[in-house]
């Protein structure tokens, strides 16, 4: 079974699909960098699927799709609904789903109950949760019970209220031991990979050299074992973007032009044209 890149639902009604596995991701340490992107919908997942090893259904969807001011208001039901859409739209990539704020921090038991719901109701390959050493017992609890966990350290957006905003981490070298301890703790707890977000390049390199699991960087270092960006950001569909984003496309202005052209065609009655009419 091979899916065409533009097939809107390459995974619909086709039975079991062989996706990229946790051991395959783990084996990418030190090899060709892993390609990861976010997607929140079936058609966007279908566009990403042929090009990426990992599709993340990020809780950034709260800000990007739902217009929330932060990721704090994202619910488990939102993650499951978008996770189901992304699974339908993809066939090959590993789909990882963010655990939203409030769904895992209380106890390992709470984390397992909610992560099991995500896995069962979406069919995704793994969950991701934010936090280093403090989340290690929870990561151990989940991985011991069959739920693969991608960790997320450095700038953790769900902690923006206690960290005073979205702040690059590791500017003060005195904080490096704590960040390195976070990386080691999540790796020792059984995480198969770790997102390293918004940290000084030299710290990201130390983390990548220290842990045996792949590091996936965002605002981190080109020496990470992989990179991730928010799809809408790199397509040029987001307004203001963090400095760590490169816009590989400029779709925002092109969408604006297409919509302006449509509005003009309607107002001048040049749309619908004969080809669009039944006669
Ligand atoms: N569209 C989008 N892209 C993202 O990468 C993203 C989200 N949304 N939502 C969830 C989090 C929030 N993220 C953010 C948001 C802002 C900055 C930011 O403004 N960073 C400053 C750094 C300032 C400093 O050096 O301390 C910057 O100028 O880049 C960083 C990460 C990353 N994630
Ligand atoms: C930016 C990535 C790592 C993320 O966590 C998200 O999109 O929510
Ligand atoms: Mg996230």
């Amino acid at each position: 079974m091979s899916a065409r890149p533009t097939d809107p639902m390459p995974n619909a009604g086709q039975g079991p699909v062989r996706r990229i596995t946790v051991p395959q991701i783990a084996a990418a340490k030190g090899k060709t960098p892993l390609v990861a992107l976010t997607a929140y919908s079936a058609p966007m997942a279908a566009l990403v699927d042929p090009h990426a090893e990992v599709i993340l259904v990020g809780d950034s969807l709260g800000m990007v799709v739902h217009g929330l001011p932060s990721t704090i208001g994202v619910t488990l039901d939102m993650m499951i609904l978008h996770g189901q859409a992304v699974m339908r739209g993809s066939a090959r990539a590993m789909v990882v789903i963010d655990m939203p704020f409030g769904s895992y921090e209380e106890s390992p038991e709470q984390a397992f109950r909610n992560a099991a719901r995500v896995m069962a109701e979406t069919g995704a390959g793994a969950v991701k949760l934010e936090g280093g050493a403090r989340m290690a017992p929870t990561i151990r609890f989940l991985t011991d019970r069959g739920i693969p966990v991608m960790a997320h350290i450095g700038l953790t957006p769900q902690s923006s209220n206690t960290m005073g905003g979205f702040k690059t981490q590791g500017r003060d070298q005195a904080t490096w031991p704590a960040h390195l301890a976070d990386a080691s703790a999540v790796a020792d707890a059984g995480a198969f990979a770790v997102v390293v977000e918004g940290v000084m390049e030299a710290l990201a390199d130390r983390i990548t050299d220290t842990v045996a699991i792949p590091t996936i960087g965002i605002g981190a270092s080109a020496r990470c074992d992989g990179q991730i960006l928010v799809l809408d950001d790199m397509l040029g569909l987001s307004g203001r973007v963090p400095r760590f984003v490169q816009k590989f496309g400029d779709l925002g202005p092109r969408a604006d032009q297409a919509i302006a052209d449509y509005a003009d065609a309607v107002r001048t009655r040049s749309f619908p044209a004969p080809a669009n009419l039944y006669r």
Side-chain angles (χ1 to χ4, degrees):
M1 193 211 75
S2 73
R4 286 176 298 116
T6 52
D7 186 338
M9 288 196 187
N11 194 22
Q14 309 235 18
V17 174
R18 237 5 299 145
R19 288 178 184 266
I20 291 170
T21 62
V22 162
Q24 285 176 307
I25 298 294
K29 179 78 190 176
K31 303 281 188 350
T32 305
L34 290 162
V35 177
L37 279 169
T38 65
Y40 314 124
S41 70
M44 291 295 121
L47 285 174
V48 172
D49 191 59
H51 303 286
E53 282 77 42
V54 172
I55 302 177
L56 174 71
V57 185
D59 61 346
S60 52
L61 66 82
M63 300 170 73
V64 177
V65 177
H66 296 272
L68 290 168
S70 75
T71 58
I72 299 299
V74 175
T75 67
L76 197 66
D77 286 344
M78 289 164 75
M79 297 310 302
I80 289 172
L81 197 67
H82 288 280
Q84 290 168 334
V86 165
M87 285 296 292
R88 290 184 203 114
S90 60
R92 169 186 166 273
M94 168 180 289
V95 173
V96 179
I97 302 188
D98 260 353
M99 296 298 290
F101 178 72
S103 71
Y104 64 94
E105 302 93 327
E106 191 177 333
S107 65
E109 289 81 3
Q110 182 214 24
F112 180 81
R113 188 182 324 119
N114 288 323
R117 231 194 103 196
V118 168
M119 299 296 284
E121 294 183 22
T122 65
V127 298
K128 179 165 78 60
L129 50 82
E130 295 182 9
R134 75 190 153 84
M135 289 313 301
T138 293
I139 294 171
R140 179 89 267 164
F141 196 85
L142 266 53
T143 54
D144 274 353
R145 288 161 180 76
I147 300 181
V149 176
M150 180 178 284
H152 181 161
I153 63 171
L155 192 171
T156 48
Q158 292 175 15
S159 309
S160 63
N161 284 319
T162 47
M163 300 200 309
F166 300 127
K167 292 264 172 42
T168 304
Q169 300 295 299
R171 287 195 185 281
D172 178 356
Q173 274 205 209
T175 66
W176 285 23
H179 289 293
L180 285 161
D182 281 342
S184 295
V186 300
D188 292 346
F192 69 95
V194 56
V195 168
V196 180
E197 174 168 357
V199 303
M200 300 297 285
E201 181 187 28
L203 172 58
D205 289 343
R206 284 279 293 278
I207 292 170
T208 295
D209 292 340
T210 299
V211 296
I213 58 174
T215 57
I216 301 179
I218 172 167
S221 168
R223 284 191 52 227
C224 287
D225 301 296
Q227 300 293 328
I228 185 162
L229 282 176
V230 168
L231 179 63
D232 303 66
D233 293 351
M234 59 85 76
L235 290 178
L237 284 168
S238 307
R240 213 177 54 83
V241 290
R243 165 173 163 185
F244 56 69
V245 174
Q246 179 177 332
K247 290 188 185 179
F248 288 85
D250 203 11
L251 299 197
R254 291 175 63 169
D256 180 72
Q257 189 58 55
I259 295 162
D261 289 352
Y262 165 75
D264 185 64
V266 168
R267 291 181 183 122
T268 60
R269 300 195 191 282
S270 66
F271 176 84
N276 309 117
L277 297 170
Y278 306 98
R279 59 181 182 186

